[in-house]
Amino acid sequence: ETGVTQTPRHLVMGMTNKKSLKCEQHLGHNAMYWYKQSAKKPLELMFVYSLEERVENNSVPSRFSPECPNSSHLFLHLHTLQPEDSALYLCASSLTTGDTQYFGPGTRLTVL
Amino acid sequence: GESVGLHLPTLSVQEGDNSIINCAYSNSASDYFIWYKQESGKGPQFIIDIRSNMDKRQGQRVTVLLNKTVKHLSLQIAATQPGDSAVYFCAENTQTGANNLFFGTGTRLTVIP
């Protein structure tokens, strides 16, 4: 256990559904991240939050909408996704944005 | 942008042998490097890190070597065990931007019993 939990672990959704991914960290960290991991590709950074403020958004389509209500929780809201969005979505946290990141187990998302 | 690459996408070793996983990085300003291990169905797990003022760091059964001259990083695993089978990622901290950690594609290590 790394102290970072993610729910659900698996999600299957249609292209017209709305769903949310949840991440929670119990490490007292101030920075949280969303990554997308597809087969045979490097980890793709999606969003970075520091002290609940978004500090980086790497040209992610608007059908992905992050939310960070406090430094321990991070959400990724999903709306009208495409089949190519199927991937493992990983959440991570670090003490600050320059420190070692600790990852959750990920949510395996399948878009039909 | 910066790139972090791995020389080999797959590596198979016999149980009990030593494993060496290599990583090349391109940003000479990077000053911090991390190795992660990702087992099937799990998120990446921190293994060991090294700062650029060092060229070697040892952990439990693992050693990381840093050669700044050729911008090369390696992870050595001693007496490889079946539980070491996983994908290994290197990451470099380029000290640029809000998130300055860049990951390579990973090397899949398979341990043959």
Side-chain angles (χ1 to χ4, degrees):
Chain A
E1 288 296 325
T2 63
V4 181
T5 58
Q6 290 186 243
T7 54
R9 294 294 309 275
H10 300 272
L11 178 62
V12 179
M13 59 187 291
M15 289 164 48
T16 58
N17 291 157
K18 289 184 182 181
K19 296 287 184 183
S20 295
L21 310 184
K22 179 183 176 182
C23 176
E24 184 173 0
Q25 57 97 359
H26 311 275
L27 301 170
H29 289 168
N30 293 315
M32 296 188 77
Y33 312 77
W34 279 118
Y35 287 89
K36 177 183 178 182
Q37 187 176 40
S38 306
K40 300 180 181 178
K41 287 186 181 180
L43 284 169
E44 298 174 59
L45 177 67
M46 300 175 73
F47 301 104
V48 182
Y49 277 82
S50 177
L51 296 171
E52 301 141 48
E53 288 192 17
R54 191 189 309 181
V55 295
E56 191 156 324
N57 172 0
N58 278 6
S59 302
V60 179
S62 59
R63 57 186 182 268
F64 295 93
S65 175
E67 179 189 1
C68 187
N70 56 62
S71 59
S72 298
H73 293 86
L74 185 66
F75 294 89
L76 187 63
H77 304 299
L78 315 172
H79 181 212
T80 58
L81 295 192
Q82 304 298 311
E84 60 265 28
D85 296 322
S86 298
L88 182 68
Y89 287 85
L90 290 160
C91 173
S93 73
S94 62
L95 188 58
T96 69
T97 53
D99 291 319
T100 301
Q101 295 175 23
Y102 294 87
F103 287 82
T107 295
R108 173 68 62 186
L109 174 68
T110 303
V111 182
L112 301 176
Chain B
E2 293 78 13
S3 66
V4 178
L6 293 158
H7 293 310
L8 294 173
T10 61
L11 176 66
S12 295
V13 298
Q14 205 71 35
E15 181 178 357
D17 288 351
N18 296 334
S19 303
I20 300 177
I21 301 171
N22 296 303
C23 181
Y25 65 95
S26 58
N27 191 332
S28 56
S30 295
D31 66 348
Y32 179 53
F33 304 87
I34 307 168
W35 279 102
Y36 286 91
K37 171 187 180 183
Q38 187 173 20
E39 298 176 85
S40 181
K42 297 183 179 179
Q45 177 185 6
F46 172 85
I47 302 174
I48 192 169
D49 58 3
I50 188 169
R51 298 208 174 267
S52 59
N53 61 351
M54 303 172 68
D55 52 21
K56 180 178 180 179
R57 191 168 187 214
Q58 288 186 289
Q60 187 177 12
R61 279 201 309 119
V62 294
T63 301
V64 55
L65 299 178
L66 176 62
N67 185 331
K68 296 181 286 293
T69 303
V70 295
K71 296 203 273 293
H72 184 266
L73 190 70
S74 69
L75 177 71
Q76 300 180 2
I77 304 173
T80 314
Q81 302 169 0
D84 295 326
S85 294
V87 176
Y88 290 81
F89 297 91
C90 65
E92 64 176 312
N93 186 322
T94 62
Q95 297 298 323
T96 58
N99 178 65
N100 34 36
L101 208 60
F102 289 85
F103 291 84
T105 53
T107 292
R108 180 172 297 281
L109 174 66
T110 301
V111 181
I112 304 166

